[in-house]
């Protein structure tokens, strides 16, 4: 039936309303983040805008992130409001300068943190000023090695000095482009090398990762990398960026090809994927500004983070002893640095790990066993009756300290020699019979990791045989693999780690050259200290330990026996250097325990790596270590102190606890700190 005039008018009205809606949808609006910028520049809240437009504040927030778009009349009104805000803004708000310094935290974000003490008192607090935005296409000259990127309405860069800078990066490509133009970089650690300053580090918080369209977690748990087909990887390739062989994982390195001898690369850390909470890192959950300051302190004291703490330890070695140096001859360029490791070398056959191709068919007794101690003994009746307690003494940074001044082989391959005369100045692997050693059974043997006397000829490093000579033993090597090009490769590495460790301990209130009792008291309060500083301290120690471990890095995952793995192709894969460090740490501890026995008549009950358990009258390390004339211990003996090579109290337990652990067949030194 034909419609009457009333129905027709209603239909026309509905059609007009539809056309009006369509017309409203065509009203242009600025990009979502520009909407937020204009509102914030005017000092308006989302509640104020919502009240004016008659809609929930959640709608305004959604419009400013692009999650939703305003409809119909509200779109027209919102467009009118945004245009008005643009007109009302001061000229300096309309166009961002091409050169701009980051601005400090505004009061709205800093207010809640103002009552908390600074994590690092040496950093001068900054005053609050209004923030302005920086688009990726604009050049911003910054200083500092890194930035932590967070997202709260907009992407914001947090710098190591506490300042912030909002960014208009829409994706990872634009963020990388901004980074390469920003001037962020870290100073190189050695003047010897040809490399330029260190790559900038960009740390992505979980919120920033989500805003940049990265997944919450990695699906490829085996390789820990983003799939090559992921849209973010495709965008990077299209923009001319490349990835290293390890791909886009928790610590991806992104770069563009070298042009005009200039490198353009950025190191990323994706915290949502565990970049700072695993692989040696165990940092507490911190606000972005505090995280930037903590990582800035780590960078100032060691180096810009590049991956796991083990990777950082290895990178620190290379940064301080670079593989190349400027060529001294006319013409410039570079040449191998004789003080660095620049040549991939095969180990001597006894130095090769069991999985190495050189170990195929090797007899077990032909493998070098220069490892840390795992030794314990039963207490004597006299010790049980006289000492109701045991105390653990753990050497601070024992293996790092052992690397200081240690002469190691550099870039020449090992030279085989038959019946050579022993020379303590020549690094190498020596095959020698030490079964004639007369050793006190109350001390572990310094020649084996089990602490038991050797049962036949074995391969030893130079520090072990040098100690045998020190003990008055005849040393007559049967054969050897010797290294003629030598030097103290690890000395600057140790010194930087030592200085970083001592500075951080001082931040925690534990200082050098204090009486042993004061040191012990200070260490007992350490557990209640600032969690951020404790996280920094743990990262520094893990960097030292992991760096030495990288010298003998093994295969990852499932690998066929005697098949080469990638680490073998690095000049820094040097199991001989690691063996020499472990050997020196072991004989150094033996020397101290031997002198302790001579001075005090007390012998260790157990040793695990760098921790020795001693019997005690009362449950304190002060009962074990002599006080010395200045209350700082006796040089040459075990003594308490913060310096690397000195000791701390690892834990105390009862003698009956020790006896029970020993009877169970476990090493009590492993559990003295955590007895459960």
């Amino acid at each position: 039936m034909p419609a009457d005039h009333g129905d027709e008018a209603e239909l026309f009205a509905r059609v007009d309303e539809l056309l009006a809606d369509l017309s409203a949808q065509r009203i242009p609006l600025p990009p979502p983040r520009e909407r937020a910028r204009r509102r914030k520049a005017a000092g308006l809240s989302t509640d104020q805008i919502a009240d004016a437009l008659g809609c929930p504040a959640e709608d305004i927030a959604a419009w400013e992130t692009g999650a939703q778009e305003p409809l119909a009349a509200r779109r027209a009104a919102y467009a009118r409001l945004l245009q008005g805000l643009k007109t009302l803004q001061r000229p300096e708000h309309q166009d961002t300068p091409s050169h701009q310094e980051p601005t400090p935290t505004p009061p709205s974000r800093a207010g809640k943190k103002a009552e908390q003490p600074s994590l690092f008192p040496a950093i001068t607090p900054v005053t609050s000023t209004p923030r302005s935005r920086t688009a990726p296409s604009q050049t911003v000259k910054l200083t500092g090695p890194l930035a932590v990127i967070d997202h709260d309405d907009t992407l914001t860069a947090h710098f190591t000095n506490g300042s912030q800078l909002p960014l208009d990066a829409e994706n990872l490509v634009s963020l990388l482009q901004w980074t390469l133009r920003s001037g962020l970089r870290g100073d190189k650690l050695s003047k010897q090398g040809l490399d330029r300053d260190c790559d900038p580090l960009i740390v992505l918080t979980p919120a920033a990762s989500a805003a940049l369209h990265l997944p919450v977690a990695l699906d490829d748990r085996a390789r820990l990398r983003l799939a090559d087909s992921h849209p973010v990887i495709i965008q990077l390739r299209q923009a001319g960026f490349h990835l290293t062989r390890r791909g886009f994982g928790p610590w991806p390195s992104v770069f563009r090809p070298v042009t005009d001898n200039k490198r353009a690369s950025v190191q990323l850390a994706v915290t949502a994927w565990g970049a700072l909470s695993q692989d040696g890192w165990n940092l507490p959950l911190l606000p972005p500004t505090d995280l930037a300051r903590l990582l800035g302190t780590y960078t100032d004291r060691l180096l810009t983070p590049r991956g796991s703490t083990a990777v950082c330890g290895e990178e620190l070695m290379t940064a301080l002893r670079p593989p190349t140096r400027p060529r001294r001859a006319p013409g410039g360029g570079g040449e191998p640095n004789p003080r660095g490791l620049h040549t991939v070398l095969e180990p001597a056959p006894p130095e090769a790990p069991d999985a190495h191709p050189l170990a195929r068919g090797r007899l077990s007794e032909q493998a070098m066993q220069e490892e840390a101690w795992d030794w314990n003994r039963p207490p004597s009746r006299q010790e049980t009756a006289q000492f109701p307690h045991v105390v653990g003494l753990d050497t601070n940074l024992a293996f790092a300290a052992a690397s200081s001044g240690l002469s190691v082989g550099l870039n020449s391959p090992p030279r085989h020699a038959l019946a050579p005369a022993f020379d303590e100045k020549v690094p190498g692997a020596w095959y020698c019979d030490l079964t004639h050693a007369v050793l006190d059974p109350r001390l572990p043997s310094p020649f084996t990791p089990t602490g038991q006397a050797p049962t036949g000829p074995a391969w030893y490093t130079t520090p072990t045989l040098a100690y045998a000579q020190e003990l008055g033993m005849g040393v007559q090597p049967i054969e050897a693999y010797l290294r003629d090009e030598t030097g103290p490769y690890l000395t600057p590495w140790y010194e930087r780690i030592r200085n970083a460790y001592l500075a951080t301990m001082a931040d925690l209130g534990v200082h050098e050259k204090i009486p042993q009792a004061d040191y012990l008291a200070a260490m007992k309060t350490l557990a209640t200290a600032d969690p951020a500083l404790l996280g920094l301290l743990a990262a520094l120690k893990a960097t030292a330990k992991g760096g030495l471990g990288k010298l003998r890095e093994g295969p990852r995952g499932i690998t066929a026996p005697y098949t080469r793995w990638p680490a073998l192709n690095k000049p820094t894969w040097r199991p001989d250097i690691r063996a020499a460090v472990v050997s020196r740490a072991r004989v150094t501890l033996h020397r101290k325990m031997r002198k302790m026995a001579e001075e005090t008549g007390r012998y260790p009950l157990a040793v695990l790596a760098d921790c020795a358990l001693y019997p005690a009258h009362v449950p304190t390390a002060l009962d074990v270590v002599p006080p010395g004339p200045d209350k700082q211990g006796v040089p040459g003996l075990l003594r308490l102190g913060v310096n690397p090579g000195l000791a701390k109290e690892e834990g105390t337990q009862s003698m009956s606890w020790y006896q029970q652990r020993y009877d169970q067949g476990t090493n009590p030194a492993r559990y003295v700190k955590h007895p459960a």
Side-chain angles (χ1 to χ4, degrees):
M1 294 178 59
D4 58 26
H5 291 289
D7 291 338
E8 185 177 273
E10 182 180 350
L11 290 173
F12 284 178
R14 290 165 62 182
V15 168
D16 289 343
E17 183 180 352
L18 177 61
L19 291 172
D21 286 347
L22 291 173
S23 178
Q25 300 312 309
R26 294 189 176 94
I27 296 175
L29 291 174
R33 291 178 183 174
E34 174 63 14
R35 305 168 196 176
R37 188 196 70 79
R38 294 185 191 180
R39 173 181 62 76
K40 293 176 181 178
L44 296 176
S45 67
T46 55
D47 289 332
Q48 290 174 298
I49 301 294
D51 184 64
L53 296 179
C55 65
E58 291 79 4
D59 288 355
I60 307 300
W63 300 345
E64 291 183 352
T65 62
Q68 296 179 9
E69 287 294 302
L71 302 176
R74 282 202 180 91
R75 183 181 180 93
Y78 187 46
R80 180 181 178 87
L81 171 66
L82 292 173
Q83 181 60 37
L85 293 178
K86 179 180 179 181
T87 304
L88 290 174
Q89 288 173 15
R90 297 193 302 272
E92 60 266 32
H93 285 148
Q94 294 181 11
D95 295 296
T96 306
S98 59
H99 296 278
Q100 175 184 337
E101 292 295 324
T103 55
T105 307
S108 60
R109 291 191 179 187
K112 293 183 180 179
K113 301 176 186 177
E115 300 176 357
Q116 300 176 359
S118 172
L119 287 172
F120 308 106
I123 298 176
T124 304
V126 292
T127 57
S128 298
T129 59
R131 297 187 300 164
S132 56
R133 297 161 62 82
T134 298
S137 61
Q138 295 169 318
T139 301
V140 180
K141 293 300 180 184
L142 305 171
T143 58
L146 60 91
V148 175
I149 309 298
D150 192 29
H151 183 268
D152 181 11
D153 293 336
T154 185
L155 283 179
T156 302
H158 300 256
F159 303 102
T160 58
N161 64 356
S163 61
Q164 298 179 10
L165 186 67
L167 305 174
D168 267 342
E170 298 290 340
N171 50 44
L172 186 58
V173 168
S174 55
L175 176 61
L176 292 171
Q177 291 170 337
W178 170 82
T179 303
L180 292 175
R181 286 190 293 267
S182 68
L184 285 176
R185 57 174 176 76
D187 296 333
K188 64 181 182 180
L189 301 182
S190 172
K191 296 180 180 179
Q192 299 175 354
L194 289 175
D195 290 343
R196 69 178 182 90
D197 296 330
C198 301
D199 295 336
L201 170 65
I202 296 298
V203 180
L204 302 179
T205 67
S209 296
L212 295 171
H213 314 295
L214 292 171
V216 175
L218 289 172
D219 293 331
D220 188 346
R221 301 305 301 170
R223 297 191 302 163
L224 284 179
R225 59 191 295 174
L226 200 60
D228 293 340
S229 59
H230 193 278
V232 169
I233 304 298
I234 295 174
Q235 290 176 357
L236 289 175
R237 286 201 297 262
Q238 292 174 342
F241 285 102
H242 299 262
L243 296 167
T244 59
R245 286 182 298 177
R246 62 184 177 182
F248 200 101
W251 290 92
S253 182
V254 186
F255 65 95
R256 280 178 168 163
V258 174
T259 56
D260 298 328
N261 292 323
K262 293 183 178 180
R263 187 178 61 190
S265 53
V266 178
Q267 179 68 56
L268 296 170
V270 186
T271 61
W273 300 346
L276 294 172
S277 58
Q278 60 187 24
D279 296 329
W281 295 99
N282 190 23
L283 301 184
L285 185 62
L286 296 171
T289 298
D290 291 342
L291 178 59
R293 285 176 170 172
L294 185 149
L295 293 176
T297 303
Y298 180 93
T299 298
D300 289 341
R301 293 177 181 176
L302 283 187
L303 79 166
T304 306
R306 296 288 304 275
S308 69
T309 52
V311 167
C312 292
E314 181 184 36
E315 290 284 342
L316 182 61
M317 294 177 190
T318 303
L320 293 168
R321 294 284 203 209
T324 56
R325 68 178 184 183
R327 188 180 298 277
R328 297 180 180 179
E335 64 181 5
N337 177 14
R339 305 180 70 185
L341 299 182
H342 54 71
T343 304
V344 176
L345 297 177
E346 289 294 296
E351 297 166 345
D354 289 341
H356 195 279
L358 289 176
R360 183 190 296 270
R362 184 182 63 189
L363 299 176
S364 59
E365 58 267 24
Q366 286 294 317
M368 178 181 283
Q369 298 294 330
E370 290 282 21
E371 298 294 341
W373 270 317
D374 187 351
W375 169 87
N376 58 94
R377 66 174 176 86
S380 67
R381 288 185 179 181
Q382 181 181 1
E383 288 171 326
T384 302
Q386 186 178 358
F387 302 105
H389 303 279
V390 293
V391 174
L393 298 177
D394 183 75
T395 304
N396 301 319
L397 295 177
F399 297 101
S403 70
S404 178
L406 178 64
S407 181
V408 298
L410 294 178
N411 296 290
S412 59
R415 170 177 56 85
H416 187 242
L418 294 175
F422 176 68
D423 187 343
E424 65 178 11
K425 296 182 180 180
V426 178
W430 310 78
Y431 192 58
C432 191
D433 189 348
L434 298 180
T435 56
H436 59 285
V438 179
L439 303 170
D440 192 317
R442 293 171 294 180
L443 288 171
S445 167
F447 308 126
T448 66
T450 64
Q452 305 302 315
T455 58
W459 288 96
Y460 302 102
T461 62
T462 299
T464 299
L465 287 194
Y467 187 58
Q469 275 196 336
E470 181 181 323
L471 294 176
M473 298 175 55
V475 175
Q476 297 179 335
I478 301 168
E479 62 176 313
Y481 289 91
L482 308 176
R483 288 176 166 81
D484 300 317
E485 183 185 345
T486 67
Y489 172 73
L490 291 172
T491 296
W493 178 84
Y494 161 72
E495 291 174 347
R496 190 160 177 87
I497 286 176
R498 176 201 62 198
N499 294 341
Y501 171 77
L502 291 176
T504 306
M505 290 298 287
D507 289 342
L508 288 162
V510 185
H511 301 279
E512 298 180 76
K513 298 181 180 179
I514 59 176
Q516 294 186 119
D518 293 345
Y519 170 72
L520 191 61
M523 291 297 291
K524 288 186 180 299
T525 66
L526 204 61
T528 61
D530 183 347
L533 282 174
L534 292 177
L536 174 61
L537 177 66
L540 294 174
K541 294 164 70 174
T543 301
K545 180 180 179 180
L548 293 173
K550 278 284 187 178
L551 293 170
R552 196 190 180 188
E553 181 181 357
R556 296 184 179 182
I558 300 175
T559 305
Y562 313 120
T563 302
R564 294 188 66 84
W565 57 92
L568 304 186
N569 300 320
K570 297 188 299 184
T572 52
W573 191 82
R574 292 294 299 273
D576 57 300
I577 296 180
R578 175 190 174 276
V581 170
V582 173
S583 163
R584 195 184 198 200
R586 192 180 65 243
V587 300
T588 298
L589 181 54
H590 190 278
R591 183 183 297 111
K592 292 180 180 180
M593 293 189 300
R594 178 170 54 86
K595 292 184 177 180
M596 282 276 291
E598 295 170 355
E599 291 285 333
T600 69
R602 215 175 299 192
Y603 291 80
L605 294 169
V607 182
L608 182 71
D610 50 6
C611 178
L613 259 62
Y614 272 86
H617 298 99
V618 291
T620 173
L622 296 173
D623 181 73
V624 178
V625 295
D630 56 0
K631 306 297 183 181
Q632 295 185 28
V634 178
L637 276 63
L638 287 167
R639 53 182 177 142
L640 303 177
V642 69
N643 290 73
L646 301 187
K648 63 179 180 293
E649 184 181 281
E650 183 71 356
T652 64
Q653 299 296 331
S654 66
M655 180 64 78
S656 60
W657 171 89
Y658 179 92
Q659 185 71 61
Q660 182 182 17
R661 282 290 184 181
Y662 178 82
D663 292 342
Q664 292 172 349
T666 61
N667 188 340
R670 187 181 302 276
Y671 304 100
V672 67
K673 186 175 184 179
H674 303 291

